[in-house]
Amino acid sequence: DQSYIFHPRNLMIDQIPNFNRRFKTFEKYGITPFNRSFTKEEIENSIHFQCKMLRSSVHENVNGHSFKIHHLPIEAQFSPVFGSTFNDFNNDGLIDLLLTGNSYAEETIYGYYDASYGTFLLNEGNFSWTFVENNSINLVADGDKKALSRVFIGDKTSFFLTENNGTLQILDVTDEIPGKLITIRDDEWYATIIFKDGSSRKVEFYYGNGYLSQNSRKFLINDLVESVQITKYNGESRILNNPILAAF
């Protein structure tokens, strides 16, 4: 099987002016296979790139030694994902995903990647996710979306979405989960959360979250939690026992 250059002649000439002399007609350009479009030296001296995966996925840290890839459902693959936030939206102890994206930066030959209106995935456990229909949660996040941040305004949760050459969009959470907001100090790195069922979770507090984003340095403790240990960058820690009790 023969391979041919995908891009039209005019675009290739913009990148490689010599192609104007090498292929004087569109016909010659169109019928010439890829390996005959370049000299042997050009092909041998060129840099070859391979892209082996384009799917949006979650990578599981396996005992700190390797990562296991878990691909997200097909609804998360319609467009590139830029904004992402992780949160327990339904108070079941599992971390759900809110994703935004699209891209208007591609060449005209490809067209816009704009099939996403935002993607909300409920965690079913064991890295299995269920897509929630956008109209059931009033999620409309179309356009060239980029940053996505979770921001606490008072005791209310909002999500700020930015768009290239567009307006700021704010999504307000109307059904708040009862709990207590814990403020993270500037020098605190992560929290180890112990749940009442004996399980635990490590939550890191980043400076920078997702694509050009920064979440509020707070996190919500609900009634599933037994205790929280918050650790600083220098290794010191503070322990909050049954912090949720103060919220009721």
Side-chain angles (χ1 to χ4, degrees):
D1 293 338
Q2 295 281 10
S3 298
Y4 295 85
I5 298 175
F6 175 76
H7 289 78
R9 176 175 174 270
N10 289 348
L11 290 180
M12 288 298 295
I13 291 174
D14 288 341
Q15 301 296 322
I16 309 175
N18 184 48
F19 264 41
N20 192 32
R21 296 193 300 271
R22 189 173 299 182
F23 300 103
K24 295 185 179 297
T25 66
F26 285 92
E27 179 184 10
K28 183 179 179 181
Y29 179 81
I31 65 175
T32 304
F34 181 89
N35 60 356
R36 292 174 54 195
S37 299
F38 302 90
T39 67
K40 180 180 178 181
E41 291 75 18
E42 287 173 336
I43 293 177
E44 290 178 349
N45 295 329
S46 63
I47 300 175
H48 296 251
F49 294 97
Q50 282 188 322
C51 181
K52 297 184 178 180
M53 187 181 73
L54 290 172
R55 285 182 287 183
S56 296
S57 58
V58 170
H59 293 199
E60 178 188 2
N61 187 334
V62 182
N63 299 321
H65 297 291
S66 63
F67 288 94
K68 183 178 181 180
I69 299 174
H70 301 273
H71 297 300
L72 296 176
I74 185 62
E75 291 84 1
Q77 313 299 341
F78 292 158
S79 280
V81 171
F82 288 94
S84 60
T85 188
F86 309 86
N87 192 59
D88 181 5
F89 287 93
N90 58 351
N91 200 26
D92 63 355
L94 301 175
I95 300 300
D96 311 306
L97 302 180
L98 176 62
L99 310 173
T100 59
N102 293 329
S103 177
Y104 292 3
E106 279 59 47
E107 296 178 274
T108 54
I109 189 174
Y110 299 109
Y112 289 164
Y113 299 153
D114 61 351
S116 174
Y117 279 72
T119 306
F120 180 52
L121 301 175
L122 276 180
N123 192 340
E124 303 293 345
N126 295 319
F127 293 93
S128 175
W129 316 86
T130 296
F131 171 70
V132 178
E133 294 289 343
N134 290 51
N135 57 5
S136 69
I137 56 174
N138 298 320
L139 175 59
V140 180
D142 57 341
D144 195 10
K145 290 291 188 291
K146 290 297 177 277
L148 170 61
S149 297
R150 183 176 70 246
V151 178
F152 294 104
I153 304 175
D155 293 332
K156 299 295 183 181
T157 304
S158 297
F159 294 92
F160 284 35
L161 291 67
T162 65
E163 179 179 340
N164 276 344
N165 297 317
T167 59
L168 176 68
Q169 183 177 353
I170 301 176
L171 305 177
D172 293 324
V173 177
T174 55
D175 297 325
E176 293 280 0
I177 296 175
K180 180 178 177 61
L181 279 176
I182 304 297
T183 299
I184 303 305
R185 299 165 186 166
D186 293 343
D187 59 348
E188 291 180 324
W189 178 15
Y190 66 89
T192 303
I193 303 173
I194 307 299
F195 293 94
K196 292 180 179 178
D197 64 2
S199 62
S200 63
R201 177 187 302 144
K202 180 180 178 180
V203 179
E204 296 184 355
F205 309 116
Y206 308 108
Y207 283 103
N209 299 83
Y211 183 91
L212 300 178
S213 306
Q214 176 61 56
N215 291 338
S216 294
R217 286 184 64 80
K218 295 183 179 181
F219 74 106
L220 182 71
I221 297 299
N222 59 28
D223 56 1
L224 303 176
V225 173
E226 179 67 30
S227 64
V228 177
Q229 178 175 333
I230 303 175
T231 302
K232 298 180 180 181
Y233 291 104
N234 64 6
E236 297 177 359
S237 63
R238 57 180 171 129
I239 297 177
L240 306 175
N241 292 309
N242 298 319
I244 194 66
L245 298 179
F248 297 99

